[in-house]
Amino acid sequence: MIMVTGASGRFSSAVLAELRARGIPAVGGSRTPSAEQRHVDFSIPDSLDFTGVNTLLLVSAGAQEDDRQIAFNRAAVEVAARDGISHLAYTSLTGAGDHLSMALPHRVTERIIMASGMTWTILRNGVYAEILAAPLSWEKQGEALRIVSPLGDGAIAAVARQDLARAAASVLSDPGGHKERVYELVGNRTVTVADIAGRLGCEARNIGLGEYRQLLAENGMLAFRQSLMISISSVIRHGFLARTGDDLPYLLGREPTDPLSVAAEVMANQAPAS
């Protein structure tokens, strides 16, 4: 049996839907499970139970302080090995993201998995095209709207979430064909804020990281989250997430979805009503 953790999240839900569409039975694991899911809460290691699961997709616990995230992931890997899981796939972070503040827990978890004795696949996911709009906002420019961005002219090899879900489903469908593989699942083309503005027919105003931090604080974001968003924005701004690759088309069996179309649609849906 296949299990996908984080089943209440958008990514894991998409993976489960992809598996169902292929006629492959799978179960979701969640802290708040539905009737068809199993209870999986990384914060309570003694409660973890992967009995009956052969292949596990471990979707990393949401971004939090490094020690907690590593402890949660370590517990999940140890229980997976204890309960006889033969293959573990892990959603990690693209290697191009090593400068991000969130990178360390992923790299440590990769090492834990590789030393676990189970066969494994590391899925180093790139930046979701859907979340490119997260650092962006809208402001009035006369009667028109323009995008406010801390990303400068940085390019991002962004990826549609659904494509990453399909790639994960491909690995889970045939784990034996992906043993000891590290896949860099970044896009094969890049997107900039100027591209998004051009697609939407508007202008973009660039702001510095200090002004962006002030905006985050004014909106009540927790200090930990502020640092995370500043890290992401700085790394994009300075060109470290522009590396493209061919692993995603290989797992998809087709060209990836156009990330510009996805990002522009999300940004358009966030525009205030005129």
Side-chain angles (χ1 to χ4, degrees):
M1 181 175 64
I2 296 171
M3 175 183 279
V4 179
T5 69
S8 60
R10 293 181 182 178
F11 172 76
S12 297
S13 296
V15 175
L16 288 165
E18 282 282 349
L19 290 170
R20 286 194 296 270
R22 300 175 188 212
I24 299 172
V27 64
S30 173
R31 286 182 301 170
T32 54
S34 66
E36 293 113 18
Q37 297 173 348
R38 285 171 59 170
H39 182 260
V40 174
D41 188 342
F42 295 166
S43 68
I44 311 175
D46 290 343
S47 74
L48 294 176
D49 180 6
F50 298 131
T51 304
V53 177
N54 299 315
T55 303
L56 177 69
L57 176 61
L58 177 61
V59 179
S60 181
Q64 53 200 311
E65 298 293 358
D66 289 357
D67 55 345
R68 284 176 57 81
Q69 188 166 348
I70 292 169
F72 291 173
N73 290 347
R74 184 188 301 276
V77 173
E78 290 175 349
V79 173
R82 180 200 71 189
D83 290 348
I85 285 175
S86 59
H87 191 88
L88 190 152
Y90 174 65
T91 58
S92 190
L93 173 72
T94 171
D98 274 344
H99 295 281
L100 288 167
S101 62
M102 70 176 80
L104 179 63
H106 288 294
R107 300 296 174 252
V108 173
T109 301
E110 289 179 7
R111 291 183 180 182
I112 293 169
I113 291 168
M114 291 175 183
S116 68
M118 294 177 283
T119 63
W120 50 265
T121 308
I122 304 298
L123 304 172
R124 287 183 168 178
N125 289 347
V127 176
Y128 292 173
E130 288 85 349
I131 67 169
L132 279 184
L136 310 181
S137 58
W138 289 100
E139 71 176 5
K140 281 279 191 179
Q141 181 188 23
E143 295 301 314
L145 289 170
R146 68 179 173 187
I147 296 172
V148 178
S149 166
L151 305 183
D153 58 2
I156 312 102
V159 188
R161 181 188 288 113
Q162 190 64 41
D163 281 357
L164 292 173
R166 179 167 178 164
S170 294
V171 169
L172 297 173
S173 301
D174 178 28
H178 304 281
K179 290 181 180 179
E180 281 68 67
R181 293 292 302 272
V182 178
Y183 290 111
E184 289 287 343
L185 300 181
V186 295
N188 60 355
R189 67 189 82 173
T190 60
V191 179
T192 67
V193 174
D195 293 332
I196 297 172
R199 178 66 62 91
L200 297 177
C202 66
E203 294 183 0
R205 180 173 74 87
N206 187 56
I207 60 173
L209 296 174
E211 184 177 349
Y212 179 50
R213 186 186 295 275
Q214 185 176 348
L215 288 174
L216 295 177
E218 290 173 353
N219 290 329
M221 183 176 285
L222 295 174
F224 168 72
R225 292 286 178 179
Q226 289 180 38
S227 296
L228 178 60
M229 293 303 295
I230 292 294
S231 171
I232 293 170
S233 299
S234 183
V235 168
I236 292 173
R237 184 185 185 103
H238 295 100
F240 283 93
L241 291 180
R243 185 190 305 165
T244 58
D246 298 322
D247 284 352
L248 184 60
Y250 168 71
L251 291 180
L252 292 177
R254 60 164 172 79
E255 284 295 295
T257 304
D258 177 19
L260 175 56
S261 297
V262 175
E265 181 179 0
V266 172
M267 197 62 196
N269 290 336
Q270 293 181 2
S274 56

